[in-house]
Amino acid sequence: MDEFTATAPPVQSAVPDLDPWPLTIATYNIHAAVGTDGRFAPERVAEVLNELNADIIALQEVPLGGSRTPNVLNVLQEATGYYAAEGPACNRPERRYGNAVLTRYPIVSMRSIDLSFGSREPRGALDADINCHGHMLRVIATHLGLRPAERRDQIRRLLQVFDTEEMPVILLGDINEWFVWGRSLRWLVSHFQAVPAPRTFPSRRPLFALDRIWIRPRNRLVHVEAHNSRLARLASDHLPLIAHIDG
């Protein structure tokens, strides 16, 4: 695991009181800010994030800068005014790309978990501890691989690394599991308990629940829904997934 530094928000978001509950969390594969019309448009993704009005947002497929890659996370952070953390799965001088977290609340610490598998595309998870007015949350944002053996190996590694009794643990991201009874999903359900899984892909006519949110303890999860706005159907090939949790 590698350490990464969080970025403070350019404009501090207003937090009206000292009780964060209930919290709204979301996960969103932004497809490198390329919409279903084939156009690169980070500003549309930013508009969708503002529609969500979530307290914590995990992002996947985020261009993070480099000599040949724009830094989309900077655009999104400026548009939301949130704290930001990045966890590049691909980290070369010409191209940095991977997971990110945006949050209203300060990020106390973070780790990057390497989930790469053989010669497959580099994968990873961003593991962040977030302080919500003294209420600590551990958030693991990830994007798993396309092949079943790859996902099984990645889930094994995640389950070994992140479990803790010190604070609630949230695992969210693009799990890339197309089969309802896939082995990697069964392992996650047995660990976290079953949760609702609205369909999020493809965004124009969702057929598959590729994006997921789990929390432990399970009783904190109140409601899960896909954000199916007109703009969300255009801005990426995935819809955002939103969950509400209580203290």
Side-chain angles (χ1 to χ4, degrees):
M1 290 189 289
D2 301 318
E3 294 288 338
F4 286 85
T5 303
T7 306
V11 178
Q12 181 64 46
S13 302
V15 182
D17 57 53
L18 298 180
D19 182 359
W21 312 112
L23 280 175
T24 301
I25 58 177
T27 183
Y28 190 17
N29 183 327
I30 68 169
H31 195 232
V34 176
T36 52
D37 59 356
R39 187 163 69 89
F40 173 72
E43 68 279 0
R44 290 193 305 207
V45 175
E47 288 183 53
V48 174
L49 297 184
N50 284 320
E51 286 181 353
L52 299 179
N53 194 31
D55 300 292
I56 300 169
I57 307 170
L59 302 172
Q60 302 86 46
E61 295 192 19
V62 185
L64 297 168
S67 61
R68 300 181 183 175
T69 309
N71 193 325
V72 170
L73 183 59
N74 281 353
V75 175
L76 303 181
Q77 183 184 20
E78 184 174 352
T80 58
Y82 285 13
Y83 295 92
E86 60 175 46
C90 176
N91 196 9
R92 301 194 300 267
E94 69 276 12
R95 182 175 185 259
R96 304 180 70 253
Y97 185 85
N99 300 297
V101 168
L102 292 170
T103 166
R104 296 184 196 273
Y105 297 99
I107 300 167
V108 176
S109 63
M110 73 191 80
R111 285 91 26 203
S112 183
I113 304 170
D114 183 6
L115 297 177
S116 297
F117 182 82
S119 61
R120 303 290 296 169
E121 177 185 348
R123 302 283 181 174
L126 177 58
D127 179 2
D129 297 335
I130 298 174
N131 185 345
C132 306
H133 290 312
H135 303 270
M136 296 298 298
L137 289 177
R138 191 172 184 186
V139 174
I140 300 94
T142 193
H143 187 186
L144 301 187
L146 295 174
R147 291 190 176 181
E150 185 180 6
R151 291 193 296 274
R152 289 195 295 269
D153 179 78
Q154 290 161 345
I155 291 298
R156 283 193 198 99
R157 282 190 267 172
L158 281 174
L159 291 178
Q160 290 170 358
V161 166
F162 67 69
D163 206 9
T164 177
E165 300 299 329
E166 296 177 3
M167 65 187 82
V169 175
I170 300 168
L171 173 65
L172 71 174
D174 182 353
I175 305 302
N176 257 329
E177 181 59 76
W178 302 77
F179 304 106
V180 175
W181 298 110
R183 197 182 307 174
S184 54
L185 273 185
R186 294 203 308 269
W187 289 346
L188 287 167
V189 168
S190 66
H191 187 81
F192 285 98
Q193 300 182 29
V195 294
R199 298 171 183 178
T200 55
F201 180 87
S203 57
R204 287 190 171 180
R205 179 178 271 185
L207 298 174
F208 301 101
L210 300 189
D211 304 279
R212 300 292 186 112
I213 298 174
W214 284 278
I215 184 169
R216 193 171 183 183
R218 166 67 176 84
N219 64 339
R220 290 176 178 262
L221 189 64
V222 177
H223 180 69
V224 182
E225 62 186 315
H227 180 73
N228 194 0
S229 71
R230 181 197 62 79
L231 188 59
R233 292 192 294 273
L234 181 63
S236 171
D237 61 348
H238 287 244
L239 293 176
L241 186 67
I242 307 172
H244 304 280
I245 63 173
D246 212 333

